[in-house]
Amino acid sequence: MNPLRTLGFLSLFALSSAASASSFVATTDAVAGALVGTSDATSDATSSLRDDKIVLAARADAASFIASQGNIRGVQLEAALRHIRQQAPELAGNDLQLAQAILSL
């Protein structure tokens, strides 16, 4: 292989590697920014539910619901799920996810 071709190949390889690295950094920054925004919105929504009496009263029912894999649905859990969906519609999730969130408060 002649030296000119080798130099050309190495130059193209270096340029493509630099472009890939900068693209990766830009993509990572964009994804991280989106996650921070989502986290802030979720944090604001859950902080208002953290002190909610209806939601706190449903913790035992939420534990039973999770332990029974959704077979035991207590009245307080049903009321809390309905309340959460009315007060914080941005917290979209199925019943199991919301029950886990209630239990983590």
Side-chain angles (χ1 to χ4, degrees):
M1 202 177 217
N2 73 26
L4 187 57
R5 275 185 123 170
T6 304
L7 182 60
F9 173 75
L10 291 175
S11 298
L12 287 175
F13 181 73
L15 287 173
S16 67
S17 297
S20 295
S22 65
S23 175
F24 177 74
V25 169
T27 302
T28 305
D29 290 346
V31 169
L35 287 175
V36 166
T38 302
S39 174
D40 290 345
T42 303
S43 177
D44 291 345
T46 55
S47 66
S48 65
L49 295 173
R50 212 171 264 135
D51 298 328
D52 196 310
K53 291 179 182 180
I54 295 172
V55 175
L56 292 175
R59 292 189 74 212
D61 282 357
S64 298
F65 181 76
I66 294 167
S68 70
Q69 298 176 350
N71 291 324
I72 299 174
R73 299 179 70 92
V75 176
Q76 291 177 327
L77 176 63
E78 291 293 332
L81 293 175
R82 190 170 35 257
H83 180 71
I84 290 170
R85 289 191 172 110
Q86 289 173 351
Q87 297 298 317
E90 67 274 7
L91 293 178
N94 61 32
D95 291 350
L96 183 60
Q97 291 169 330
L98 291 177
Q100 288 170 339
I102 290 169
L103 198 54
S104 70
L105 294 177

